[in-house]
Amino acid sequence: NAGVTQTPKFQVLKTGQSMTLQCAQDMNHNSMYWYRQDPGMGLRLIYYSASEGTTDKGEVPNGYNVSRLNKREFSLRLESAAPSQTSVYFCASSDRVSRTEAFFGQGTRLTVV
Amino acid sequence: AQSVAQPEDQVNVAEGNPLTVKCTYSVSGNPYLFWYVQYPNRGLQFLLKYITGDNLVKGSYGFEAEFNKSQTSFHLKKPSALVSDSALYFCAVRDLSYNTDKLIFGTGTRLQVFP
């Protein structure tokens, strides 16, 4: 049981480049989330998806887009990376009906130079 | 609006002493509350949750949390701290109203347990 899998684990981008962070869960969860973690700021919600086919903005959505490709996968795209997007990104999933806790991936450390 | 506050950036405690990490919340519907721990260069690990029922919730590694509706608080406690408890702790509140599922975290509290 892999849980929540994020790829890549590390990435360095140049300002203006684009990239997609991938996330997949194998727990049949209906809810998925993307967070960024910065020192002193805690985890801030970027986007979330309460069910397949729906996505909603979180606390800090600017500069990001998401796709809930199917129930398993929830990707985060940076269209034009900026140094302010240097952060550690976490994907998580949870089950809305049974109200389980959220399960987290191991994170992606992104540096934009 | 949904929010979580962790008023202390850092909590220092001597090994063997009780510890408390504070959390207050705001949510429009029923509160679903969580505590997570993060060790260096690791993801988040679930400690405990309050969904409904008893106000005192017991979780992993000897941690417990007390839900107080009137004070909108959900403080994390442990009777006797260990050096290995030193880590970053996050409180979170989940809003399941109106067919949404928004999970918001606090800014985190660094717990330092001294030998």
Side-chain angles (χ1 to χ4, degrees), chain B residues 30-112:
Chain B
N30 291 324
Y32 299 102
L33 299 159
F34 303 83
W35 276 102
Y36 285 81
V37 61
Q38 186 180 37
Y39 296 98
N41 299 314
R42 302 290 298 274
L44 273 76
Q45 297 178 31
F46 168 73
L47 278 180
L48 52 79
K49 64 183 176 184
Y50 173 82
I51 303 296
T52 187
D54 290 341
N55 290 343
L56 186 64
V57 179
K58 294 190 183 297
S60 306
Y61 312 120
F63 284 93
E64 56 190 29
E66 187 170 9
F67 171 67
N68 187 316
K69 189 172 183 178
S70 63
Q71 297 186 5
T72 61
S73 67
F74 189 56
H75 300 331
L76 182 69
K77 299 173 186 280
K78 188 174 183 182
S80 178
L82 299 172
V83 172
S84 58
D85 292 330
S86 299
L88 188 56
Y89 290 80
F90 289 98
C91 181
V93 63
R94 187 176 186 182
D95 185 358
L96 290 172
S97 59
Y98 308 112
N99 290 322
T100 189
D101 190 356
K102 195 173 182 181
L103 181 63
I104 296 292
F105 283 78
T107 52
T109 298
R110 187 164 300 281
L111 174 67
Q112 190 72 49

Side-chain angles (χ1 to χ4, degrees), chain A residues 9-84:
Chain A
K9 287 187 170 51
F10 301 93
Q11 184 72 46
V12 179
L13 288 179
K14 293 182 179 178
T15 298
Q17 286 185 319
S18 63
M19 78 161 294
T20 299
L21 280 65
Q22 307 285 354
C23 176
Q25 52 93 7
D26 61 3
M27 295 171 282
N28 202 35
H29 288 166
N30 34 46
S31 300
M32 296 186 75
Y33 318 85
W34 275 106
Y35 295 89
R36 61 178 289 174
Q37 183 177 16
D38 303 290
M41 305 292 285
L43 275 92
R44 292 183 290 171
L45 182 64
I46 305 172
Y47 272 93
Y48 64 104
S49 170
S51 61
E52 184 180 353
T54 68
T55 61
D56 288 285
K57 294 179 180 179
E59 301 167 286
V60 288
N62 291 346
Y64 305 95
N65 286 302
V66 290
S67 295
R68 183 74 184 266
L69 304 168
N70 47 54
K71 194 171 186 178
R72 288 188 66 248
E73 298 172 290
F74 188 39
S75 62
L76 178 72
R77 182 160 178 85
L78 287 70
E79 291 290 352
S80 179
S84 61

